[in-house]
Amino acid sequence: MSMNRVPAGVTAGGVGIGGQFARSSGRRPVSGNLTTMPQNGSFLYPPASFASKGEYVEFWKNASVSDTILTKLVKAREKWRVPQVKAARDRLVSEWESQKRIRRMAKKDPGFYAVERAARENATGPEKRFPPLSGELARPIAVAHQIWSKTHLVPGMTQQDVRDVTVAVPGDPNVTVEEIVTDWRTDEWAGFALGSSAS
């Protein structure tokens, strides 16, 4: 005699059939359908592949990017940026202090030396080289990074094939993907928020 073991509480046609050793006459309850991802993919979970470069670029330019993703991107940039700015300022101080005349100045006029050192410790140059990511720029930078880093989704395509694709940024509708990822150095930090790395 065969027994189908069915979990307690399961019903078939409104009649309880569940229980550790309940008979089910060989019938099992209908299995539920799991929610599946949309066929067209999402910004963090794109389709497994694309048929062409055009289809690929079109997907990224039109994919919806949530505020949550953009917030994570801004935070990832800031986490990367702050040490970069500090290291650049530290280099300015170190290079300045390594000069013999500066060491002599420190002995002759400690007050002037302290003011000059503080100016280098707070220099704006490093801040300009590594600016924070504004909310207005977060979406185009996210899009450019995904276009650049996911080229493996199109058979035979490389980053060189998408380098001249343009992404509109505030004030300039024709910035190329390569310019964005190079200027913002997205390969170094965006993957932490977008779960991607350059291929």
Side-chain angles (χ1 to χ4, degrees):
M1 169 168 110
S2 85
M3 293 268 211
N4 283 331
R5 294 195 167 118
V6 181
V10 174
T11 63
V15 178
I17 61 168
Q20 188 174 8
F21 300 104
R23 287 183 182 226
S24 64
S25 305
R27 291 180 13 211
R28 295 194 180 271
V30 177
S31 61
N33 291 330
L34 296 175
T35 304
T36 57
M37 287 296 294
Q39 290 299 318
N40 57 356
S42 68
F43 196 77
L44 291 184
Y45 302 101
S49 66
F50 293 88
S52 67
K53 173 184 170 180
E55 181 183 289
Y56 173 81
V57 170
E58 186 73 15
F59 171 82
W60 290 116
K61 286 189 173 186
N62 293 307
S64 176
V65 190
S66 73
D67 287 350
T68 302
I69 292 170
L70 297 178
T71 299
K72 286 181 180 178
L73 189 68
V74 169
K75 287 180 179 177
R77 169 71 180 183
E78 195 64 9
K79 187 174 181 180
W80 173 86
R81 183 188 82 83
V82 169
Q84 298 292 328
V85 171
K86 183 179 181 332
R89 286 177 174 159
D90 289 348
R91 276 192 301 278
L92 286 175
V93 170
S94 176
E95 289 167 4
W96 178 74
E97 286 182 329
S98 68
Q99 300 174 41
K100 288 182 183 179
R101 68 179 183 82
I102 301 303
R103 290 195 293 270
R104 286 193 303 268
M105 182 178 67
K107 291 177 184 175
K108 288 181 181 177
D109 191 348
F112 180 72
Y113 168 81
V115 168
E116 287 295 308
R117 187 178 199 284
R120 283 157 182 79
E121 286 178 331
N122 299 301
T124 58
E127 188 77 27
K128 289 177 183 173
R129 272 203 320 274
F130 306 105
L133 178 59
S134 67
E136 296 80 24
L137 287 173
R139 186 182 192 288
I141 286 176
V143 169
H145 179 77
Q146 293 295 73
I147 290 172
W148 185 256
S149 66
K150 301 284 188 180
T151 55
H152 63 277
L153 297 176
V154 180
M157 193 166 77
T158 68
Q159 290 173 337
Q160 289 303 308
D161 297 318
V162 296
R163 60 190 290 249
D164 294 328
V165 171
T166 58
V167 175
V169 297
D172 191 347
N174 296 312
V175 183
T176 68
V177 166
E178 185 177 41
E179 288 171 327
I180 292 171
V181 299
T182 301
D183 292 349
W184 286 88
R185 295 168 62 174
T186 63
D187 284 347
E188 297 179 34
W189 56 270
F192 294 108
L194 303 176
S196 60
S197 58
S199 58

